[in-house]
């Protein structure tokens, strides 16, 4: 790493190597002397941050013409222009993209059939739609970078619908007949997971991590601190889903083995590692049986919200049950009340 001290700005500039055009990996500002700046560079947090950026430029170069090489160039040339927080987010997605697509050539990813492969990868993360969409956005940006450099002529990731777009999924609900049929196609642990999603409307990530100490038997409800509210802004007051223990939900909970701190466990007795592991245990089996072809696990949450509203829940009640922020119930009502499901329920009521 090459260090350049600027007395005029009281800043120590850090470059990946010495020479014209070397990428800058950081800077230490506000120091009276170069010695003071070098001392601050010894701080573990600062040193770790700089070392992480330096590794982007000093690692071995992948073979040209492959997505791994494009990723390496993207990290070296484009990533440093982003804010630190954005870099961290993009790096996590770029690592996943490299794992899945790294050995694919740029020529192959532009051929017919590549978009279908990208869609399949995108949908494989449907249990966490926001994460899936951010990963897709990262891939789109990577391929746009390739186009700008004239390494690619087309962007096969462009134009793919996002999973979390409200307008795209607002009218998608699980028919009760599909839910019932799905239960019969699953292993006991996955069947219990599907029932919990159906009866509570929890996000898959929250359902996978629901702990027994969040089931308040004596008070008659589940109190779950939602993952999304914590991740969105940890500084704000967290949101809780407060779900009444209906007879059906009590029956399910009594069936669940007490092998772990979490309510849901796998066939091996341990907790589901993530929403994606739950999704991978459920959706491929349903597809194999010709069930839920165009549905996602996350759509069950919208189905439960729709049922709450159609069964007479007030906006305030729905906010408590679903873990929405106060005042969001009215907006969610406009999103989730599915006209087709309403007509179906009215027909059953006769």
């Amino acid at each position: 790493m090459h260090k350049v001290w600027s007395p005029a700005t009281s800043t120590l500039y850090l470059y990946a190597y010495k020479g014209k055009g070397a990428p800058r990996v950081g800077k230490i500002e506000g120091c009276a002397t170069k010695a003071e700046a070098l001392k601050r560079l010894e701080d573990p947090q600062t040193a770790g941050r700089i070392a992480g950026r330096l590794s982007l430029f000093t690692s071995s170069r992948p073979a040209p013409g492959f997505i791994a090489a494009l990723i390496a160039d993207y990290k070296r040339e484009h990533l440093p222009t982003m804010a630190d927080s954005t870099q961290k987010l993009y790096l996590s997605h770029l690592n996943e993209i490299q794992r899945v697509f790294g050995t694919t050539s740029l020529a192959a990813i532009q051929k017919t059939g590549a978009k279908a492969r990208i869609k399949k990868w995108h949908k494989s993360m449907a249990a966490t739609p926001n994460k899936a969409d951010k990963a897709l956005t990262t891939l789109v940006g990577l391929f746009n970078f390739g186009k700008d450099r004239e390494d690619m002529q087309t962007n096969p990731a462009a134009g793919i619908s996002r999973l979390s777009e409200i307008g795209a999924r607002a009218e998608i609900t699980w028919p009760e007949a599909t839910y019932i049929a799905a239960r019969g196609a699953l292993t006991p642990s996955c069947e219990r997971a599907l029932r919990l999603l159906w009866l509570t409307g929890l996000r898959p990530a929250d359902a996978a991590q629901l702990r027994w100490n969040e089931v308040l038997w004596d008070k008659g409800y589940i109190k779950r601190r939602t993952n999304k509210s914590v991740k969105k802004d940890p500084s704000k007051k967290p949101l809780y889903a407060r779900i009444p223990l209906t007879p059906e939900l009590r029956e399910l909970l009594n069936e669940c083995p007490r092998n772990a701190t979490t309510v849901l466990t796998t066939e091996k007795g341990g907790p589901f590692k993530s929403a994606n592991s739950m999704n991978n245990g459920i959706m491929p089996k349903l597809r194999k049986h010709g069930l839920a072809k165009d549905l996602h696990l996350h759509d069950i949450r919208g189905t439960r919200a729709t049922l709450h509203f159609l069964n007479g829940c007030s906006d305030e009640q729905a906010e408590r049950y679903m873990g929405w922020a106060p005042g969001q119930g009215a907006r969610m009502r406009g999103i989730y009340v599915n006209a087709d499901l309403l007509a179906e329920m009215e027909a059953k009521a006769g």
Side-chain angles (χ1 to χ4, degrees):
M1 182 170 64
H2 183 54
K3 309 176 185 71
V4 176
W5 169 249
S6 171
T9 60
S10 301
T11 301
L12 180 68
Y13 295 96
L14 308 170
Y15 296 89
Y17 46 82
K18 185 177 181 179
K20 186 176 180 181
R24 194 170 73 193
V25 296
K27 58 184 177 180
I28 309 296
E29 299 176 283
C31 300
T33 63
K34 181 178 180 179
E36 181 184 347
L38 292 172
K39 186 69 175 177
R40 283 177 55 184
L41 188 57
E42 295 175 1
D43 173 71
Q45 185 174 357
T46 302
R49 175 170 54 84
I50 299 300
R53 290 185 180 177
L54 185 62
S55 68
L56 301 177
F57 307 99
T58 57
S59 58
S60 59
R61 165 75 178 170
F66 288 83
I67 290 179
L70 184 65
I71 291 173
D73 289 342
Y74 185 86
K75 287 179 177 179
R76 183 171 57 252
E77 298 176 22
H78 188 70
L79 210 61
T81 66
M82 301 178 180
D84 288 350
S85 58
T86 306
Q87 286 189 40
K88 183 177 180 182
L89 176 64
Y90 268 65
L91 272 174
S92 66
H93 295 310
L94 287 169
N95 291 337
E96 171 65 11
I97 291 167
Q98 174 138 339
R99 184 185 69 81
V100 177
F101 298 104
T103 57
T104 303
S105 70
L106 296 179
I109 202 64
Q110 297 177 83
K111 290 182 178 180
T112 302
K115 186 178 284 285
R117 181 185 173 194
I118 294 169
K119 286 181 177 179
K120 183 177 180 180
W121 165 72
H122 182 222
K123 287 183 178 179
S124 73
M125 299 179 281
T128 51
N130 287 328
K131 179 181 177 181
D133 289 346
K134 288 174 183 175
L136 179 61
T137 297
T138 303
L139 186 62
V140 171
L142 175 68
F143 289 161
N144 281 337
F145 172 77
K147 286 184 65 180
D148 288 342
R149 288 159 43 100
E150 297 186 352
D151 292 333
M152 300 177 68
Q153 287 70 52
T154 62
N155 186 338
I160 296 175
S161 297
R162 274 29 178 191
L163 297 178
S164 61
E165 288 176 350
I166 290 176
R169 307 215 63 82
E171 291 295 318
I172 299 178
T173 53
W174 278 59
E176 187 173 7
T178 300
Y179 161 68
I180 294 171
R183 288 178 56 185
L186 298 172
T187 61
S189 65
C190 289
E191 188 271 345
R192 289 191 294 268
L194 185 70
R195 284 167 66 195
L196 186 71
L197 293 172
W198 179 267
L199 294 172
T200 63
L202 285 170
R203 297 180 182 87
D206 285 314
Q209 297 175 22
L210 179 66
R211 300 185 302 274
W212 282 111
N213 61 9
E214 294 173 313
V215 181
L216 309 181
W217 296 99
D218 55 333
K219 296 182 179 180
Y221 64 93
I222 290 171
K223 184 179 180 181
R224 168 68 190 174
R225 181 176 178 172
T226 64
N227 287 343
K228 187 173 182 180
S229 70
V230 176
K231 291 180 179 179
K232 194 169 185 180
D233 190 345
S235 67
K236 289 187 177 180
K237 184 177 179 181
L239 299 174
Y240 291 87
R242 295 174 174 83
I243 303 161
L245 293 177
T246 61
E248 295 87 352
L249 187 50
R250 286 179 180 272
E251 179 182 0
L252 167 61
L253 294 171
N254 286 327
E255 292 178 17
C256 292
R258 303 286 183 106
N259 298 332
T261 58
T262 55
V263 171
L264 294 178
T265 54
T266 65
E267 298 300 321
K268 295 182 179 180
F272 285 96
K273 292 181 179 180
S274 65
N276 279 332
S277 69
M278 180 192 294
N279 183 78
N280 294 338
I282 294 175
M283 297 311 294
K285 291 185 177 68
L286 299 188
R287 304 273 195 263
K288 187 176 179 180
H289 286 80
L291 298 168
K293 181 180 179 182
D294 297 317
L295 299 172
H296 301 149
L297 276 190
H298 195 79
D299 295 327
I300 297 177
R301 178 168 170 80
T303 305
R304 177 50 52 190
T306 297
L307 292 172
H308 280 323
F309 286 127
L310 297 183
N311 285 322
C313 268
S314 66
D315 295 342
E316 292 77 12
Q317 286 174 315
E319 289 165 5
R320 288 197 300 273
Y321 298 163
M322 303 300 294
W324 292 328
Q328 289 296 302
R331 187 175 73 88
M332 294 300 186
R333 181 185 294 273
I335 292 170
Y336 282 117
V337 175
N338 185 299
D340 292 337
L341 189 57
L342 176 59
E344 182 180 336
M345 291 182 68
E346 289 174 342
K348 287 181 179 180

